[in-house]
Amino acid sequence: MISASVDNDPPRHPLGARPVPTPNSTPRPAGSAGWWRDAVIYQVYVRSFLDSTGDGIGDLAGVGAGLPYLKRLGVDGIWLTPFYPSPQHDHGYDVADYHDVDPVYGDLDAFDRLVRDAHRLGLKCLVDIVPNHCSSRYPLFLQALTEGPGGPTRAMFHFASGRGDDGALPPNNWHAMFGGPAWTRVTEPDGTPGEWYLHMFTPEQPDWNWREPTVRGNFEQTLRFWLDRGVDGFRIDVAAGLFKHPDLPDSPDPEADERTRDSVNPLAWNQPEIHEVWRDWRAICEEYTAGDGNDRLLVGEVSVPTAADQARYVRPDELHQAFFFHLLNAPWDAAAFQNVITDALRDIAATGSTITWVLNNHDQVRAVTRYAAPTPSQDADLPDPGGARARAAALLMLALPGAAYVYQGEELGLPEVIDLPDEALTDPIFRRTGSRLRVRDGCRVPLPWSGQASPFGFTAGDAPGRPWLPQPEWFANHTTERAIADTDSFWHLYHEALHLRRNLPQLGEGPLRWLDSPPDVLAFVRGDGLVCAVNFGDRQAPAPVTGTPLLTSRPCPPGILPGNTAAWWICEHCTA
Ligand code: NOJ
């Protein structure tokens, strides 16, 4: 098990870095108003973080036990994925009660303790809110089923008659995001085949009808429920969803709608009415901020095609932030990274919000594996190209203006577990695509903390239950215990970068200016004198500035930036 002590580690320089310069202004406090603008938030996938009860499933008390570890890592707060009562068809994104804790994860007392402990350590605490859909076991949905057609509760969802003979065909041609049609037909209380209901994800996740005022009112109560318990904000699931075109017309290209997460059905996503909701939610958050000066954050999962589309969600009276997934989706290529960064700087920063960078989350193949594809000129001596690139990407991300989210295990350089046996897979996408897509289990395998064998300290107790997804033997190389002991580890790179970020006034918010660089290299200067350069190529390039780097993702010989490497320098005569 990890050490639970919180220390103030002196700056360490594992990779040939020189001592941290004295900042030329006071370090930015992880304070109250505006704290989110350049915060680094750690995404806790509760189910897989740390299991305090021995049942093989992570829980809130486990998160509490891990807080000192996160404090020591140097993040500013945590985002907890859904822990609400749920049949777990989509691991909590099918909520059966928005105001409670699923017994598998603890109870409300455990939640309150966790928030208190996080705050005591100076960590913010965000919870996930799932407003696009609920669980098919949600009491109001069950009531709608028993009411039958025309019942008032049916209006809170999207029930509609089918087409064709006897209404046997779905009301329109929309596809669900997780495969298959977006409609399921119900059996009416009298036993006859009846109406259809809309679900943009699985049939166990009926979509709410946001044109119905009660739905809106209920969610406002939910916000207040968690705000009253002390949370610092919300990560909003499917924040470009909620409203559907009022006529529910056929999609002109239903196949395209399910091709990628970002090629979204324009009739089911990104409707203009959504912005009124975000204005209302922002006003509620501001009410709480007015009470104590601490901003309550709304960060949206806004999957829309372009940065300009996303910018509309983060106008000053709407969401504070929206995850900028374009960085995560960019291939390991200098031009691709530069394009997405430029788009974000142009479109999102212009709203007054800050960009919210992400390289990993619980829905995506981990960066170490994504970047591992061999390239034609790859150095045969580079043992782990994906790891080298993921380290470089981390230094790049943490040098960009704005906020960042780190997904649990990212700081350990965990690769994706790509060979989970079919029978272990639980992601509904696997089932609903006829076992075609193995997308999301491999990044959700319970974290390794210590030791040489599963459960690697993830599960407490003398006779620990098996982790809910099997951990591979090679997790032994990635335990937090081992990472902390090895000063060359991913963990130390993140730790060092986060501590520098907190202490250097050039990092976090502020200007960025690109520097001229060879085609495979991106180099930019932040504020007065922090230069970051990344070599996306496989061949070494000259370093863009002289002097010893402050921090490097891999060892750098003097004056050289090796392939697949990033570095930060202090450069006194460089200005953004
Ligand atoms: C996005 C969440 O990140 C994902 O895990 C979930 O399955 C879908 N929204 C549906 O709630």
Side-chain angles (χ1 to χ4, degrees):
M1 206 20 235
I2 44 152
S3 132
S5 72
V6 179
D7 56 13
N8 293 316
D9 290 8
R12 246 178 295 205
H13 305 282
L15 295 161
R18 69 180 192 193
V20 183
T22 313
N24 55 19
S25 72
T26 33
R28 282 158 298 126
S32 293
W35 60 265
W36 47 274
R37 297 188 67 85
D38 56 7
V40 178
I41 303 290
Y42 186 94
Q43 180 190 351
V44 177
Y45 195 71
V46 176
R47 208 174 165 76
S48 299
F49 185 73
L50 192 52
D51 164 23
S52 73
T53 61
D55 65 357
I57 299 176
D59 47 51
L60 294 180
V63 180
L67 287 176
Y69 163 80
L70 298 178
K71 177 71 184 172
R72 181 175 178 188
L73 178 62
V75 295
D76 299 304
I78 56 173
W79 145 34
L80 301 169
T81 54
F83 48 77
Y84 314 110
S86 162
Q88 308 291 342
H89 284 290
D90 189 16
H91 291 321
Y93 286 97
D94 46 326
V95 180
D97 181 350
Y98 289 93
H99 297 169
D100 207 347
V101 173
D102 194 300
V104 100
Y105 300 127
D107 55 22
L108 282 171
D109 286 343
F111 177 80
D112 293 341
R113 253 192 318 277
L114 173 58
V115 174
R116 260 198 318 273
D117 290 349
H119 287 167
R120 205 171 295 134
L121 289 171
L123 296 169
K124 303 290 184 188
C125 184
L126 309 180
V127 295
D128 215 309
I129 187 163
V130 188
N132 180 69
H133 47 266
C134 58
S135 157
S136 53
R137 307 304 300 164
Y138 192 88
L140 285 172
F141 187 72
L142 295 175
Q143 192 177 320
L145 291 181
T146 48
E147 264 173 7
T153 319
R154 285 216 174 177
M156 296 176 73
F157 300 90
H158 295 280
F159 277 88
S161 305
R163 299 198 284 198
D165 290 345
D166 301 328
L169 297 173
N172 70 23
N173 66 356
W174 294 2
H175 284 239
M177 296 288 288
F178 289 172
W183 296 90
T184 291
R185 194 171 197 186
V186 303
T187 302
E188 300 298 358
D190 65 3
T192 57
E195 291 189 316
W196 297 71
Y197 68 89
L198 179 71
H199 49 83
M200 293 310 296
F201 292 89
T202 70
E204 292 83 12
Q205 294 165 294
D207 280 39
W208 291 106
N209 175 11
W210 273 81
R211 296 181 192 281
E212 174 62 37
T214 329
V215 171
R216 211 151 156 159
N218 286 354
F219 273 97
E220 293 187 5
Q221 278 179 26
T222 297
L223 286 186
R224 291 181 189 282
F225 178 87
W226 294 104
L227 288 167
D228 288 341
R229 297 195 101 87
V231 304
D232 299 288
F234 301 90
R235 176 269 186 190
I236 305 168
D237 193 56
V238 194
L242 278 57
F243 285 86
K244 278 74 194 173
H245 187 290
D247 305 331
L248 302 174
D250 271 344
S251 164
D253 188 1
E255 304 304 324
D257 299 339
E258 71 165 11
R259 221 168 282 146
T260 75
R261 283 170 57 86
D262 287 344
S263 160
V264 290
N265 176 348
L267 301 162
W269 251 245
N270 209 6
Q271 301 294 298
E273 297 88 338
I274 185 78
H275 298 284
E276 291 166 28
V277 174
W278 302 143
R279 287 190 197 102
D280 289 351
W281 285 28
R282 179 70 175 251
I284 292 173
C285 288
E286 305 287 344
E287 255 180 56
Y288 283 77
T289 299
D292 61 9
N294 176 35
D295 278 349
R296 306 309 198 278
L297 171 68
L298 297 173
V299 52
E301 186 209 26
V302 177
S303 294
V304 287
T306 67
D309 292 326
Q310 202 182 70
R312 282 198 287 279
Y313 287 77
V314 292
R315 289 176 285 197
D317 58 349
E318 298 196 34
L319 305 180
H320 300 77
Q321 297 181 326
F323 297 114
F324 190 68
F325 292 126
H326 296 72
L327 189 74
L328 187 159
N329 291 330
W332 182 248
D333 173 82
F337 268 63
Q338 187 167 27
N339 286 341
V340 299
I341 294 167
T342 307
D343 287 355
L345 292 171
R346 185 193 57 228
D347 294 327
I348 295 174
T351 62
S353 171
T354 59
I355 306 157
T356 305
W357 306 102
V358 201
L359 290 170
N360 292 280
N361 68 26
H362 65 293
D363 293 331
Q364 303 290 340
V365 172
R366 286 186 180 273
V368 170
T369 304
R370 280 202 322 271
Y371 298 144
T375 49
S377 59
Q378 193 161 297
D379 176 357
D381 294 337
L382 183 61
D384 173 18
R389 293 169 189 152
R391 291 173 70 103
L395 276 201
L396 169 69
M397 175 176 81
L398 294 172
L400 290 172
Y405 281 67
V406 172
Y407 174 50
Q408 67 184 34
E410 179 176 335
E411 82 284 13
L412 303 173
L414 269 190
E416 184 84 358
V417 182
I418 52 173
D419 52 1
L420 288 166
D422 284 6
E423 59 281 9
L425 301 181
T426 62
D427 180 1
I429 297 181
F430 182 66
R431 192 170 30 89
R432 295 200 46 83
T433 57
S435 311
R436 202 165 35 90
L437 294 179
R438 307 164 67 91
V439 195
R440 303 187 301 173
D441 288 290
C443 64
R444 298 176 176 182
V445 176
L447 281 191
W449 292 87
S450 59
Q452 294 300 319
S454 184
F456 297 109
F458 164 73
T459 290
D462 295 335
R466 273 213 300 244
W468 69 277
L469 278 174
Q471 298 164 305
E473 283 173 17
W474 51 262
F475 261 32
N477 301 327
H478 294 275
T479 60
T480 60
E481 184 181 59
R482 192 159 167 171
I484 291 171
D486 171 8
T487 52
D488 285 345
S489 68
F490 257 84
W491 193 90
H492 280 283
L493 183 72
Y494 272 83
H495 176 256
E496 189 80 7
L498 291 171
H499 284 259
L500 284 172
R501 200 179 140 96
R502 181 162 289 159
N503 285 296
L504 292 174
Q506 295 93 337
L507 292 175
E509 280 204 278
L512 175 153
R513 181 171 63 83
W514 294 106
L515 299 173
D516 287 341
S517 54
D520 277 343
V521 175
L522 289 187
F524 55 85
V525 56
R526 296 293 322 279
D528 282 338
L530 189 287
V531 170
C532 170
V534 188
N535 184 351
F536 288 79
D538 295 311
R539 299 199 179 83
Q540 68 178 43
V545 290
T546 54
T548 310
L550 192 59
L551 185 60
T552 65
S553 64
R554 295 202 301 139
C556 291
I560 299 290
L561 186 60
N564 301 300
T565 302
W568 293 356
W569 293 261
I570 292 292
C571 165
E572 255 116 53
H573 58 272
C574 305
T575 315

